[in-house]
Amino acid sequence: MGRARLAELHGVATSYEPAPGRTVQVPEDTVVAVLAALGVDASTPRSVREALDRHDSRLRERLLPPCVVVRPGRAPRLSLPEGTALRVRAEDGAPHARGRAAAGAHGTDGALTARTRGGGAFRGGALTGGALTDGVLTEGTPDGLLMEGATADGPLTVLAALPPGAHTLLAETPDGRRATAPLIVAPDRMPLSPVRSHGFLVQLYSLLSARSWGMGDLGDLADLAAWSGRALGAGFVQINPLHAAVPGTPATPTDPSPYRPSSRRFPDPVHLRIEDVPEYAHLRGRARTRADQLLEAAAALRTSVLRDGALIDRDAVWALKREALELVRTVPLGPGRRAAYCDFLAERGQALEDHALWCALAETHGPEWRAWPGGLADPRSADTARARAEHLDRTDFHCWLAWLTDTQLAAAQRAARDAGMDIGLVHDLAVGVHPSGADAWALQDVFAAGMSIGAPPDAFNSRGQDWGLPPWRPDALAATGYAPYRDLLRGLLRHAGALRIDHVMGLFRLWWVPEGREPTEGCYVRYDAEAMLGVLALEAHRAEAVVIGEDLGTVEPGVREELERRGVLGTSVMWFERNYDGAGPARPLSPEEWRADCLATVTTHDLPSTAARLTGGHVELRHRLGLLTRPLAEERAAEAVEVAEWLALLGRLGMLPEGPGDEEAAVKAVHRFLLRTPARMVGVWLPDAVGDRRPQNLPGTWDQYPNWRLPIADAEGRPMSLEELVASPRLRALMAEVARLAPRDPGALAP
């Protein structure tokens, strides 16, 4: 019982439900290992008792919790000695408010309730400035608002009306004890676009133009956004994560998955359009000659993908771009560009310096930082401090790359908005980072050592999943005021109109798997969802950005409802939208039964393309790779029944006037269906628009299938350039239908 209580106090679940009504107990060894990763020794009965005593003692002694999160209508409770003075130092450093916990005070609403140990309460909420007279704020005080208590007739409301931000709450007791805590003041909801939008979903690397260096780049993204906004009335382009990857070595190629990055805080410079760097035009002499040679090599690499059927080779692309960038760096920055670069360095600060230093050290010692010599595995060691001086030039090189990438991301978002897009770029936040990468090195204090996140066993995967990504420690995040999380979101939202969050359920809980154990031996660890959503709302509010949560798969009760209340759009994929009420076979949902607050799509990067689904091609592919769990004939039959159900519904709704048997007509029909739903955003998977049959990623495969390395192709599997895509009659016909049926009012339905 003691260990179970200790686990509960730290958000560690000792059981889980893989299916309704079925409970599975977590192994004791797992609970002990997870608590150890949280800094709690639960290995023996004695250590459990001591840990419980320490926890209770800390609760009695502390004045403030590690972090206080405030939003309208949400009142965190604080237990404070009577007479405790409270002050707020705002994010800008100004002392906005101060007050005192008084016995006998209480109220019914507000943003902060400070429950005194004498039985009263101090309640905070609306701040206008001034002194308290019968509960009304009147005259001002020099250093903010003086609050000498609140009564039942006039409860103070102070903290909720502080400007949204990451402030500091300070407390001082009458006997002189002091404490501070981060105070997050967050909006209640995420921003929402005032109009309904439709747009493309695309994996950027797969979008090669006649100017690409072997994979899609930020110049291609800007072109796609500008064209689709102006010519098609599109409101957004959603792309894969552009996070920096762990670099490859001669023995180990770079992992092409965008969902297993080195850093989520900075984009990868492999996405740069080299010719768009202003200094490139000023290369002269031998540098110009060599740059021209690299341009020819890049053209050959592009041709090998688009014409010869070669796979996208990220390492080969980066080798050419890195050499070209080394040449470009010899061109001095002009005064204005130099000033802009210095501003970027100052703005991104320590995070950028750490990231760039990791990149420099990885060039010398390889990317596995745990094997680095001396004290370099510790980013704050004396050895690492010396390395900062020794690698100053290479560190600056990687800072410069981050700045160049940031400027081209900004240009792509400007191109999107200039083309009339309401949202523009929709960036993607991966659920975690590579354990050998820059973030895991620089932020060791907030990652749980020896743990990996994944998924428990379920009806689709009896062995569970281990994604090989270290989880954030919820206690460490709270202790920092969620600073790493805030910085991450702010960086991603710099040049975005919306942010998609992969596995958004991870804001509530994550499945932790101890190192060396099977995924079946993991357990759930809970996060402070109020804080995680509050920080997300704060940064989305600052950026005026929409938030989309990938909420597919197993979702615990109440999570989707809470996300909807907070303005996080869900993800609705047509094939999964069925009525699972348990009363007979799950039927496809009709359009009016869909939720409005979602991004609606037919498919995603992890699922078969629509053409492959309609023709059964994805079943044949999985059969060839040995991935089927049932006989081929049985899989074919089951898939045919599911597709027939959807086509029958489309026919009854009059959305398939061409009749059955026409694949291109069926692709149009499923998009007509999406546009009949009330979904706020409707996404078209770009490969679907040209009949591509190949998935970009086939879950359950590693080297059996070229995941994340395929260019967009037509129905015959012929790779297509961006120029060919925009000229495709099939794409134009589909998007003309989408534009015709897409209402601008979020609540309207297409006729």
Side-chain angles (χ1 to χ4, degrees):
M1 289 296 293
R3 185 174 289 151
R5 178 171 176 261
L6 192 60
E8 182 181 8
L9 291 171
H10 291 85
V12 178
T14 56
S15 65
Y16 67 98
E17 292 188 6
R22 178 169 171 251
T23 300
V24 175
Q25 295 299 315
V26 172
E28 285 283 331
D29 289 349
T30 295
V31 175
V32 172
V34 170
L35 284 171
L38 293 169
V40 180
D41 183 2
S43 58
T44 67
R46 179 177 177 179
S47 64
V48 168
R49 288 194 301 272
E50 291 173 348
L52 287 170
D53 290 343
R54 284 192 299 271
H55 183 273
D56 292 343
S57 178
R58 282 195 299 268
L59 284 181
R60 288 192 302 270
E61 294 173 0
R62 77 180 189 188
L63 291 179
L64 298 172
C67 184
V68 177
V69 179
V70 171
R71 65 179 168 100
R74 185 78 177 191
R77 294 185 176 275
L78 305 179
S79 178
L80 295 168
E82 183 177 338
T84 298
L86 298 175
R87 295 176 182 271
V88 174
R89 185 172 60 242
E91 194 170 27
D92 58 9
H96 272 248
R98 67 181 186 182
R100 193 173 303 278
H106 65 277
T108 56
D109 296 304
L112 177 92
T113 299
R115 184 74 50 192
T116 72
R117 290 172 186 150
F122 164 82
R123 185 171 290 277
L127 175 67
T128 58
L132 176 66
T133 304
D134 295 329
V136 179
L137 302 171
T138 54
E139 64 182 271
T141 57
D143 62 348
L145 179 68
L146 177 64
M147 300 173 298
E148 292 298 344
T151 68
D153 297 327
L156 278 178
T157 52
V158 175
L159 295 181
L162 284 167
H167 310 302
T168 303
L169 182 63
L170 305 94
E172 183 175 359
T173 65
D175 61 4
R177 287 190 298 144
R178 298 179 179 180
T180 63
L183 172 64
I184 306 296
V185 179
D188 193 46
R189 289 176 57 83
M190 318 289 160
L192 289 174
S193 175
V195 298
R196 190 183 195 192
S197 295
H198 67 277
F200 284 123
L201 282 61
V202 63
Q203 300 283 288
L204 180 56
Y205 59 82
S206 71
L207 184 72
L208 284 74
S209 73
R211 295 177 61 189
S212 302
W213 285 37
M215 63 181 283
D217 61 35
L218 292 170
D220 298 323
L221 176 60
D223 282 347
L224 176 66
W227 170 74
S228 61
R230 295 180 190 279
L232 307 178
F236 65 88
V237 175
Q238 179 182 304
I239 53 177
N240 55 284
L242 302 184
H243 307 322
V246 176
T249 67
T252 307
T254 298
D255 186 344
S257 172
Y259 292 94
R260 194 170 157 81
S262 168
S263 174
R264 297 185 295 175
R265 300 189 291 176
F266 296 95
D268 199 308
V270 75
H271 300 108
L272 283 169
R273 168 70 62 83
I274 302 298
E275 302 94 311
D276 287 353
V277 178
E279 289 72 30
Y280 178 85
H282 298 284
L283 290 172
R284 298 290 184 269
R286 292 181 179 177
R288 168 53 60 190
T289 300
R290 181 55 183 158
D292 290 343
Q293 292 171 346
L294 292 170
L295 200 59
E296 292 177 5
L301 198 58
R302 176 179 63 248
T303 299
S304 71
V305 174
L306 291 177
R307 189 185 65 191
D308 303 335
L311 298 176
I312 293 170
D313 187 340
R314 184 188 183 111
D315 287 339
V317 173
W318 178 235
L320 295 177
K321 289 190 175 184
R322 183 180 58 222
E323 185 176 351
L325 289 162
E326 297 277 11
L327 296 172
V328 172
R329 190 167 175 250
T330 64
V331 178
L333 295 174
R337 294 266 292 167
R338 169 61 60 182
Y341 177 44
C342 290
D343 284 349
F344 179 77
L345 293 175
E347 183 178 0
R348 302 311 302 270
Q350 186 71 54
L352 175 60
E353 183 183 338
D354 285 345
H355 173 73
L357 177 60
W358 182 92
C359 293
L361 292 173
E363 289 177 335
T364 302
H365 304 293
E368 179 46 73
W369 55 266
R370 292 175 183 81
W372 288 351
L376 296 181
D378 179 357
R380 306 293 171 242
S381 72
D383 289 326
T384 301
R386 285 190 292 271
R388 290 180 190 274
E390 295 166 0
H391 294 78
L392 195 59
D393 182 68
R394 292 307 294 175
T395 300
D396 183 65
F397 174 67
H398 290 287
C399 287
W400 177 71
L401 294 180
W403 173 61
L404 293 180
T405 313
D406 185 79
T407 61
Q408 291 195 7
L409 275 171
Q413 176 65 352
R414 280 197 304 273
R417 299 306 290 266
D418 289 347
M421 286 190 167
D422 303 299
I423 293 174
L425 303 186
V426 181
H427 288 293
D428 197 350
L429 172 60
V431 69
V433 295
H434 197 289
S436 298
D439 283 1
W441 174 73
L443 299 172
Q444 294 175 46
D445 291 346
V446 294
F447 284 107
M451 294 289 145
S452 173
I453 59 174
D458 57 27
F460 302 100
N461 191 330
S462 61
R463 298 183 60 186
Q465 300 174 55
D466 184 344
W467 301 332
L469 309 171
W472 266 337
R473 285 180 53 164
D475 58 329
L477 280 179
T480 66
Y482 295 86
Y485 178 46
R486 286 189 280 117
D487 293 345
L488 168 62
L489 293 172
R490 192 172 301 181
L492 285 166
L493 290 167
R494 285 169 64 86
H495 310 300
L499 178 65
R500 173 191 180 270
I501 299 181
D502 192 40
H503 193 69
V504 72
M505 298 81 78
L507 300 182
F508 295 77
R509 64 178 185 177
L510 282 170
W511 184 258
W512 288 24
V513 181
E515 185 176 347
R517 296 182 183 273
E518 294 296 320
T520 53
E521 299 179 79
C523 73
Y524 278 116
V525 175
R526 190 159 296 282
Y527 292 76
D528 185 342
E530 178 66 24
M532 300 292 278
L533 288 170
V535 171
L536 178 59
L538 171 61
E539 296 305 329
H541 168 79
R542 295 189 206 263
E544 299 181 351
V546 175
V547 177
I548 304 160
E550 186 274 296
D551 58 351
L552 303 174
T554 302
V555 183
E556 66 177 315
V559 166
R560 284 197 177 100
E561 292 78 6
E562 178 62 16
L563 291 172
E564 183 178 1
R565 281 192 292 270
R566 302 300 299 274
V568 178
L569 301 185
T571 300
S572 293
V573 177
M574 192 191 81
W575 305 105
F576 300 153
E577 291 297 306
R578 290 173 171 268
N579 182 3
Y580 297 98
D581 60 5
R587 61 171 179 80
L589 292 180
S590 57
E592 63 274 9
E593 293 179 290
W594 282 46
R595 55 184 171 172
D597 290 332
C598 74
L599 165 64
T601 69
V602 181
T603 189
T604 74
H605 59 267
D606 281 332
L607 295 172
S609 71
T610 302
R613 177 84 69 172
L614 291 169
T615 60
H618 71 294
V619 176
E620 305 299 327
L621 173 61
R622 292 177 64 82
H623 172 65
R624 290 197 302 272
L625 297 176
L627 300 176
L628 296 183
T629 58
R630 295 183 294 183
L632 176 60
E634 192 175 333
E635 290 279 358
R636 282 175 175 163
E639 187 66 21
V641 168
E642 182 176 344
V643 170
E645 286 178 331
W646 279 103
L647 292 178
L649 175 59
L650 295 172
R652 290 196 300 273
L653 294 172
M655 295 180 183
L656 191 55
E658 302 88 347
D662 185 332
E663 175 196 307
E664 188 173 345
V667 172
K668 287 182 183 177
V670 295
H671 287 92
R672 292 181 187 125
F673 180 91
L674 292 186
L675 292 160
R676 183 75 67 86
T677 74
R680 286 182 175 271
M681 298 174 67
V682 174
V684 178
W685 176 236
L686 183 55
D688 271 355
V690 291
D692 196 344
R693 282 162 164 69
R694 306 169 305 173
Q696 283 294 315
N697 178 50
L698 188 58
T701 63
W702 178 245
D703 56 0
Q704 308 99 309
Y705 185 80
N707 295 318
W708 319 112
R709 290 174 287 168
L710 293 171
I712 297 173
D714 64 14
E716 285 70 46
R718 183 183 65 86
M720 300 182 71
S721 67
L722 173 59
E723 292 80 5
E724 292 172 315
L725 283 165
V726 303
S728 164
R730 179 166 178 164
L731 181 147
R732 286 180 171 271
L734 172 63
M735 296 312 294
E737 191 74 355
V738 169
R740 182 180 72 83
L741 296 174
R744 303 290 282 172
D745 182 348
L749 297 177

